[in-house]
Each structure stands twice: as structure tokens, then as C-alpha cells.
Amino acid sequence: EEMHSYRGRTRGGCVKCQQTRSLLLAVKVLYGFFAFLIIAVAVLASLVFRKVDSISEEGSFYDKKIMKVQENIHDLTSSNCSDIHDVGHFGQEVSTLKKEFEDIQKMILGQEQILDQASRTQQSLSSNNTRII
């Protein structure tokens, strides 16, 4: 057996030592790669959260604008205003704002789906990392 260990010697040490070093290097590279993936998922998740927050802020802005227009319409109708043109104009504005609000809600739904996917990816990466460790 001693002869075998000497026979396996090369310039950098025994073959088993070189294999061990190679394996350790591969494990370190793999850990680095998983750390990079976890950081990337965290950055993407924070970007998605920011986008969802900005979209929800826009939605609340449009909610306030719709409420204001509805109040104006209510004021016009309660004061028996005979100017049908203004009421029609406000009605069109409310319809436009409602459509914009629905579009924002669709965007929020899409962002939530992206966020769910990012969360699932992060969970998968974490479980894979746990299995490797």
C-alpha cells in the first residue's frame, strides 16, 4: 500500500491530494454560484416590491381622483344644474378614470404573479442550497 501512495505522486503532491483540492475548489465555486443566485433573487424581489408599491400608490391617486369627480357630479345633480354638457363631460371623465384604474389593477395582478414566481424561485434555490450543504 505504501508503494501505491508513492506511485501516485506527481509534481503537486499525491493524486488523492490533488483530487481533494479540486473537489474543494468545485464546492467553493458552487457555494459562490448559489450565493450569487440568492442575491440576484433578493434584488429582483426588492425591485418587484418597489414596482408593486408604486403601482398601488398610482391606484390610490386614481381612486381619489374618481371620488372627486363623483363628488362633483353629485354636487351638480343635487343643485339641479341644467347644464347637461358638464354632467356628460364628468361622466366621460369618470369612465376614463375607471378604465385607467382597471388597467392599473391588471398591472398589479401581473406584478403579483411575477412576485409569486420570484418567491417560488427563491424557495427552490434555498431548498437546493440546503440539500447541497
Side-chain angles (χ1 to χ4, degrees):
E1 290 181 10
E2 289 179 24
M3 292 296 285
H4 176 70
S5 64
Y6 288 115
R7 239 185 291 141
R9 280 188 159 292
T10 61
R11 183 185 245 183
C14 67
V15 173
K16 285 188 178 183
C17 295
Q18 286 180 347
Q19 288 174 344
T20 302
R21 282 188 216 122
S22 296
L23 185 58
L24 286 173
L25 178 63
V27 168
K28 288 178 183 178
V29 169
L30 191 59
Y31 279 140
F33 178 70
F34 279 117
F36 172 75
L37 284 177
I38 289 171
I39 291 169
V41 168
V43 168
L44 288 174
S46 70
L47 291 174
V48 168
F49 281 127
R50 286 182 189 169
K51 186 67 176 174
V52 168
D53 285 341
S54 69
I55 289 173
S56 64
E57 287 174 7
E58 288 176 12
S60 65
F61 167 76
Y62 283 111
D63 280 339
K64 291 175 185 175
K65 201 168 181 181
I66 288 171
M67 292 297 291
K68 183 179 176 185
V69 170
Q70 286 176 339
E71 288 172 6
N72 288 340
I73 290 173
H74 179 67
D75 290 344
L76 285 175
T77 56
S78 65
S79 65
N80 292 328
C81 181
S82 62
D83 192 355
I84 302 294
H85 178 70
D86 286 341
V87 173
H89 174 72
F90 284 125
Q92 289 175 348
E93 191 172 345
V94 167
S95 297
T96 303
L97 291 173
K98 282 184 180 180
K99 183 175 180 343
E100 289 176 3
F101 181 69
E102 290 170 359
D103 291 343
I104 289 172
Q105 286 178 324
K106 289 177 186 174
M107 287 183 354
I108 289 173
L109 181 61
Q111 292 297 325
E112 288 175 345
Q113 291 171 349
I114 290 171
L115 177 61
D116 288 342
Q117 183 180 4
S119 295
R120 285 192 301 270
T121 302
Q122 183 178 13
Q123 289 173 349
S124 173
L125 288 174
S126 295
S127 67
N128 287 340
N129 191 18
T130 304
R131 276 190 247 140
I132 288 175
I133 294 174

